[in-house]
Amino acid sequence: GQVLTELRAKELIGGWDATSSCSTRPLDRLGSKACGVCGGCLLRIVSALSAGLTVVTDEFTFDVRGLDAKAIDRNGNIKDMSPNHRDVAVRAITVMEEFSRLLDSPQGASTINREARVVDDLNPSEIEKSLADLLRQHRSEWASFKDSLPAKSWLLEIVGQL
């Protein structure tokens, strides 16, 4: 979100909407530009909304901001989410939620310290601060995204089970 916000402020965001972050195979997208539920799509949607960019939901097979976990194929047919797609969505949502909780978790400080030492074993304190800032930013963006969802959304149902 911060990167997109900075690009937008510097008027360098042109062409961003022509890109895709989807990691799902094209055939599994049912003719859409992106699936909407993989980790790449979910992070892209959260980041774009945080930066105040428009996210066009009809570019995605699934609408993570919708009430129901339904797929819309290229012909406009609505289908239930397949078990495979649901597994992908659950993994992506779980990672986003767990990452948002990491800073306040019992293992948060040790994880930050360990990762900081991987980046710079000689000066981990500066890296620890940067990682903590990243975690706070993610938590804020993820919380804002969740707050924007319908109260009975399928995504919030999954978060509630974590």
Side-chain angles (χ1 to χ4, degrees):
Q2 285 178 310
V3 171
L4 293 176
T5 299
E6 189 171 327
L7 288 172
R8 186 174 182 200
K10 293 180 178 182
E11 298 181 5
L12 297 172
I13 203 77
W16 175 84
D17 54 343
T19 66
S20 175
S21 303
C22 189
S23 62
T24 302
R25 295 180 308 224
L27 289 177
D28 290 336
R29 298 177 194 165
L30 305 177
S32 296
K33 180 178 176 180
C35 71
V37 296
C38 71
C41 284
L42 189 55
L43 183 59
R44 178 186 182 92
I45 292 165
V46 171
S47 298
L49 293 172
S50 174
L53 299 173
T54 301
V55 176
V56 182
T57 55
D58 62 353
E59 292 182 356
F60 299 102
T61 305
F62 301 95
D63 181 5
V64 293
R65 297 181 296 163
L67 198 55
D68 299 312
K70 301 284 184 181
I72 301 175
D73 69 16
R74 73 183 81 176
N75 300 318
N77 299 316
I78 299 173
K79 304 176 181 181
D80 287 332
M81 182 180 274
S82 71
N84 181 49
H85 281 115
R86 184 162 179 86
D87 288 346
V88 169
V90 167
R91 280 192 299 278
I93 293 163
T94 300
V95 167
M96 294 290 279
E97 182 67 21
E98 288 179 350
F99 197 63
S100 76
R101 296 176 184 177
L102 182 59
L103 192 60
D104 301 319
S105 72
Q107 71 273 20
S110 63
T111 300
I112 291 169
N113 180 270
R114 181 185 68 241
E115 296 303 318
R117 290 187 181 288
V118 169
V119 174
D120 186 352
D121 193 34
L122 300 176
N123 187 19
S125 61
E126 187 176 324
I127 305 301
E128 286 175 357
K129 182 189 175 314
S130 294
L131 290 173
D133 289 346
L134 172 69
L135 289 169
R136 277 190 283 283
Q137 184 67 30
H138 172 76
R139 180 176 52 202
S140 173
E141 292 178 13
W142 180 241
S144 179
F145 170 74
K146 291 187 304 181
D147 289 345
S148 75
L149 299 175
K152 302 225 181 229
S153 79
W154 67 274
L155 188 146
L156 289 178
E157 178 184 318
I158 291 169
V159 169
Q161 296 172 11
L162 300 175

